[in-house]
Amino acid sequence: MKVHVFKSKEMIDQEVATLIVSKINAKPNFVIGLATGSTPLGIYQELISLYQQNKVSFKDVTSFNLDEYVGLEKMHPQSYRYYMNHHLFSKTDFNVENTFFPGETSENYDLLIASKGGIDLQILGIGGNGHIAFNEPGTSFDALTHETLLAHQTRLDNSRFFNSLEEVPTKALTMGLGSIMCAKEIILVATGLNKAEAVKSMIEGDINVNCPASILQNHINVHIYLDEDAASLLEGN
Ligand code: F6R
């Protein structure tokens, strides 16, 4: 794991977006794994800005999102399809036909990813309980894309986007830890004090299903981008 600590979230957003753009320019039919939530919003804004400056085209890029709620209409404002259309796809030249979500296709998601050549770069956030995608503590490290129950903490965390906790779906479809570990390269971004414990367990703890993100220690090409708050509990900080 290579850990990069930045002074601000804005610096991380710029760095990661610039990196993504340089990779797409080197390989226009790039396959990218995308996350939702608060963490990648700034990166997506930077990507839109670089697109508007004609520094990149996404027209031949294929994307695979990590997860999607079960039980929300595709166009529900809190569905992850809606989020991606709204925050990235509709503001760039992504070909929506090349953007995939678990549950939207009848094909097996992991086989579909493999048929496109595998994910070149996976973008990840991390939950306060150490989850990545919706792989909650206790999920098998070998799991491929599957349906899962959301942890109470995750529903509470995500209730900020809904009118009430009751409206937050109880289930989601998610790429498994085994699916994520197949990505050729992984960038995980975490900012804020509320991520500091999970970040410490991920980087310095044992590899243990209680912290799903700790499996990333076994991946050969992982970059962790942190702000000073998220890095604050790491040894040497
Ligand atoms: C979202 C996802 C989740 C989030 C995590 C952090 O697609 O897979 O694992 O990355 O819950 O969420 P935020 O960024 O809102 O703190």
Side-chain angles (χ1 to χ4, degrees):
M1 275 180 168
K2 202 149 185 340
V3 180
H4 313 258
V5 182
F6 287 78
K7 289 227 170 302
S8 71
K9 168 125 178 27
E10 291 68 34
M11 289 167 80
I12 299 178
D13 295 339
Q14 281 170 14
E15 179 80 14
V16 173
T18 306
L19 209 85
I20 293 172
V21 164
S22 70
K23 286 174 187 288
I24 292 174
N25 285 334
K27 182 185 176 190
N29 63 344
F30 199 68
V31 180
I32 189 161
L34 297 172
T36 57
S38 306
T39 305
L41 280 176
I43 297 171
Y44 297 156
Q45 274 159 18
E46 288 294 331
L47 288 178
I48 293 165
S49 157
L50 291 164
Y51 166 74
Q52 287 168 342
Q53 296 165 52
N54 289 324
K55 299 224 164 102
V56 65
S57 167
F58 301 96
K59 73 180 175 47
D60 296 321
V61 171
T62 297
S63 72
F64 287 93
N65 263 80
L66 283 169
D67 40 21
E68 180 58 286
Y69 288 119
V70 170
L72 292 188
E73 291 295 315
K74 203 167 155 179
M75 280 305 125
H76 187 289
Q78 296 311 331
S79 79
Y80 288 164
R81 162 56 78 183
Y82 182 95
Y83 168 115
M84 288 308 309
N85 285 352
H86 181 69
H87 291 294
L88 184 63
F89 300 153
S90 67
K91 298 188 166 114
T92 57
D93 64 348
F94 262 95
N95 176 355
V96 179
E97 310 250 299
N98 294 338
T99 65
F100 298 97
F101 286 74
E104 274 190 9
T105 157
S106 55
E107 284 169 78
N108 173 294
Y109 204 59
D110 293 278
L111 290 180
L112 186 62
I113 293 171
S115 75
K116 305 284 179 191
I119 290 178
D120 291 305
L121 172 66
Q122 176 67 58
I123 304 297
L124 292 177
I126 183 171
N129 63 0
H131 75 217
I132 47 177
F134 277 137
N135 293 281
E136 301 287 17
T139 309
S140 155
F141 286 146
D142 299 326
L144 297 177
T145 304
H146 62 284
E147 186 173 295
T148 185
L149 283 174
L150 297 179
H152 182 63
Q153 188 58 51
T154 301
R155 293 185 65 238
L156 268 183
D157 288 347
N158 290 2
S159 64
R160 69 191 191 277
F161 300 115
F162 292 81
N163 294 321
S164 67
L165 177 60
E166 291 66 46
E167 281 185 22
V168 185
T170 52
K171 289 187 206 159
L173 285 162
T174 182
M175 277 168 65
L177 296 168
S179 322
I180 292 169
M181 289 294 281
C182 287
K184 293 165 202 162
E185 181 174 3
I186 296 175
I187 289 181
L188 183 146
V189 178
T191 58
L193 275 179
N194 59 331
K195 301 290 172 74
E197 288 275 1
V199 163
K200 184 175 175 63
S201 305
M202 165 177 67
I203 298 172
E204 293 175 350
D206 298 336
I207 300 177
N208 187 301
V209 290
N210 293 329
C211 178
S214 64
I215 190 61
L216 298 178
Q217 291 178 30
N218 279 347
H219 194 286
I220 51 162
N221 195 4
V222 179
H223 293 264
I224 313 284
Y225 286 77
L226 305 173
D227 69 358
E228 290 177 346
D229 282 345
S232 59
L233 296 178
L234 294 177
E235 299 288 325
N237 245 315

